[in-house]
Amino acid sequence: MFGRYALALSVASVIASVLPPVSTASAEDSLYVPLLTYRTGPYAGSGIGIADGMHDYLEMLNQRDGGIGGVKINFEECETGYNSQKGVECYEATKGKGALMYNPWSTGITLQLIPKAGVDKIPVLSMAYGLSAAADGKTFPWVFNPPLTYWDGASVAVKYIAEKSGGMAKLKGKKIGFIYLDAPYGKEPIPLLEQLAKENGFELAKYPVPGDKMQDQSSQWLNVQSDSPDWMIMWGWGAMNPTAVKEAAKIGYPMDKFIGVWWSGGDDDAKAGGPGAKGYLTLNFNGTGANFPAIADIKKHVFAKGLSTVKSEDRIGENNYNHGVYNSMLIAEAIRNAQKISGKKVVTAADVRAGLETLNVDAARIKEIGLEGFMSPVKVTCDDHSGEHAVFVQQWDGAKWVKVSDWIEPMKDKVRPMLVADAKAYADKNAPWPARTEACGK
């Protein structure tokens, strides 16, 4: 399981053309945040909405508030195409501009940046994706993955299935299918799922989908039809998601027994299945729709002024867009916290690391920023860089996502020991891995 930790540190020469023109604000009087996004390629269907949400929330803060703490946010996108080499090129091309943090938006890119973060002293924020073991702040002081890890998510999926089956004991003898992108992202939750299968007596049937075959899943779903798993879990992304939903509907798989991770819950993912997609389930950690004050402010201060990157206003509030909003909320709150801790308006990457490590977005702050009902409180600590926060299950009703469960806590007693052990295994595999020297929250 540790082969995925092999480091690939060789970096191709930086291609200047991957970067858009830099905004006029300078590092001395602004807060520079590069955004590693992808609006092209086979993953664009997922990436565009997220990039739009990230862009629009930060632009809203600039337009409405003059930035964060009165300092403008200087952000620019770098197109990665969800390609790890291009992601590293974007990193190398921007890190010298005073980058405060990186949002890789790819588990593959995240794995490449993890060993660089502590060397270059620039934090990596991989929001609910990337290396699950990076939640161990003692081993990874420069990497953060709130509000939860893939292992947390996998544990919630199994917990939900158990609840619907009559309890954990009822999982014995059942077959749970796992269809996943055959890439670091899709493989990440497998160790946890295998452990839970062993402990609870269910069979885990795996159906990998190669990246170059995402739109041709007929063989996988024929196998699903033959195997007849009691439930299906999906870890898909990009073109894989709508194809899987269509194929599941085509073979008549019961959609209310098909549950995807939060990245498999785009509106277009479900719409692709037509009427047959009704009942499809996914995990989620943010609200959908535009009925939140902060998103209303995006419409007022960004879209209405022609500053949004979305092409149509009705795309604002879709699930992937709101994922992007959530990510930029974390960016902004970490910077705001860094300003408070350091007493400086123009903070450094080291300040932002401390801001991330002591991040505490409680209910009062959520209401203050205009996202009440959109999310649950988020708290990060020096030891726990994800927070292991709760998620809920949503269901496609044929036109929109509907929340169909309460907030569900991960199996912390199962996940946390595995995360800590896996962090140690990563450090041992990549020895000499530097011991943490950073003081807590400083």
Side-chain angles (χ1 to χ4, degrees):
M1 65 182 276
F2 302 117
R4 70 190 192 278
Y5 294 153
L7 302 183
L9 298 179
S10 60
V11 180
S13 59
V14 174
I15 302 174
S17 61
V18 300
L19 290 170
V22 181
S23 58
T24 55
S26 66
E28 288 74 22
D29 59 9
S30 67
L31 303 162
Y32 178 58
V33 181
L35 303 177
L36 275 54
T37 58
Y38 37 93
R39 296 178 177 274
T40 62
Y43 302 95
S46 299
I48 290 172
I50 287 169
D52 288 340
M54 291 178 70
H55 171 281
D56 287 2
Y57 186 84
L58 295 178
E59 186 62 45
M60 182 270 287
L61 294 180
N62 276 343
Q63 295 295 318
R64 188 192 68 187
D65 304 335
I68 303 171
V71 184
K72 285 277 189 178
I73 312 162
N74 175 16
F75 59 96
E76 61 176 334
E77 293 186 36
C78 188
E79 174 67 35
T80 71
Y82 197 77
N83 178 280
S84 295
Q85 178 177 314
K86 288 183 178 178
V88 173
E89 290 170 356
C90 284
Y91 175 84
E92 295 294 335
T94 55
K95 71 177 184 180
K97 299 180 180 181
L100 295 181
M101 71 172 74
Y102 279 91
N103 301 264
W105 277 108
S106 154
T107 293
I109 298 173
T110 302
L111 292 177
Q112 294 290 317
L113 298 190
I114 284 173
K116 294 175 177 292
V119 174
D120 295 331
K121 305 300 182 187
I122 306 172
V124 170
L125 172 61
S126 54
M127 182 193 77
Y129 62 90
L131 179 65
S132 295
D136 179 18
K138 291 181 179 179
T139 305
F140 301 96
W142 290 86
V143 187
F144 300 83
N145 48 8
L148 74 169
T149 71
Y150 282 145
W151 289 9
D152 293 315
S155 80
V156 170
V158 172
K159 194 173 181 180
Y160 180 80
I161 291 171
E163 178 187 318
K164 293 299 180 181
S165 303
M168 293 298 292
K170 298 294 185 180
L171 292 182
K172 187 175 182 179
K174 290 191 180 295
K175 182 182 294 183
I176 298 178
F178 179 60
I179 188 164
Y180 62 97
L181 182 64
D182 195 8
Y185 152 62
K187 296 175 183 178
E188 179 64 23
I190 290 176
L192 188 281
L193 289 171
E194 289 179 335
Q195 183 64 30
L196 291 178
K198 180 180 178 181
E199 291 178 357
N200 295 283
F202 65 84
E203 178 185 348
L204 181 68
K206 290 176 281 190
Y207 307 96
V209 177
D212 60 352
K213 300 287 186 180
M214 290 190 297
Q215 294 177 290
D216 181 16
Q217 298 177 37
S218 56
S219 62
Q220 285 89 348
W221 287 96
L222 283 174
N223 288 336
V224 171
Q225 188 174 36
S226 175
D227 295 343
S228 298
D230 298 283
W231 282 80
M232 286 291 295
I233 297 173
M234 177 162 71
W235 240 253
W237 191 233
M240 177 181 162
N241 290 333
T243 304
V245 172
K246 284 189 289 186
E247 291 290 341
K250 183 178 177 181
I251 69 167
Y253 191 83
M255 301 305 283
D256 61 351
K257 299 290 182 66
F258 185 17
I259 182 168
V261 69
W262 39 83
W263 304 130
S264 296
D267 290 59
D268 289 343
D269 298 337
K271 288 176 182 177
K278 187 176 180 179
Y280 171 56
L281 303 161
T282 71
L283 304 176
N284 208 351
F285 52 81
N286 59 251
T288 58
N291 191 29
F292 303 96
I295 296 181
D297 282 347
I298 288 175
K299 290 186 175 184
K300 176 181 178 181
H301 296 283
V302 182
F303 186 83
K305 296 180 181 179
L307 300 173
S308 173
T309 54
V310 297
K311 295 181 179 179
S312 174
E313 186 174 1
D314 61 5
R315 305 293 292 195
I316 296 175
E318 289 190 347
N319 198 26
N320 281 335
Y321 183 94
N322 285 4
H323 285 332
V325 167
Y326 191 108
N327 194 103
S328 282
M329 177 277 299
L330 290 176
I331 293 172
E333 292 305 298
I335 292 173
R336 173 180 171 273
N337 194 33
Q339 290 174 330
K340 179 181 177 181
I341 293 170
S342 68
K344 298 182 293 188
K345 293 295 186 181
V346 180
V347 292
T348 66
D351 295 328
V352 173
R353 193 207 70 80
L356 281 164
E357 193 161 72
T358 55
L359 189 65
N360 185 12
V361 186
D362 60 15
R365 180 57 186 162
I366 291 171
K367 183 175 182 178
E368 187 179 4
I369 61 180
L371 291 175
E372 187 175 21
F374 180 86
M375 57 181 283
S376 64
V378 178
K379 185 175 183 179
V380 178
T381 68
C382 299
D383 289 340
D384 186 355
H385 280 193
S386 75
E388 300 175 305
H389 296 96
V391 293
F392 62 89
V393 176
Q394 63 184 14
Q395 187 169 45
W396 186 251
D397 71 356
K400 64 184 182 303
W401 292 108
V402 178
K403 186 172 180 277
V404 293
S405 82
D406 293 330
W407 290 88
I408 304 172
E409 294 286 342
M411 299 181 193
K412 297 179 182 180
D413 60 328
K414 302 292 184 182
V415 174
R416 187 66 191 178
M418 287 187 65
L419 289 178
V420 173
D422 213 35
K424 183 180 184 303
Y426 180 104
D428 291 345
K429 181 75 174 181
N430 297 289
W433 188 255
R436 174 170 177 148
T437 57
E438 294 80 5
C440 182
K442 294 182 180 179

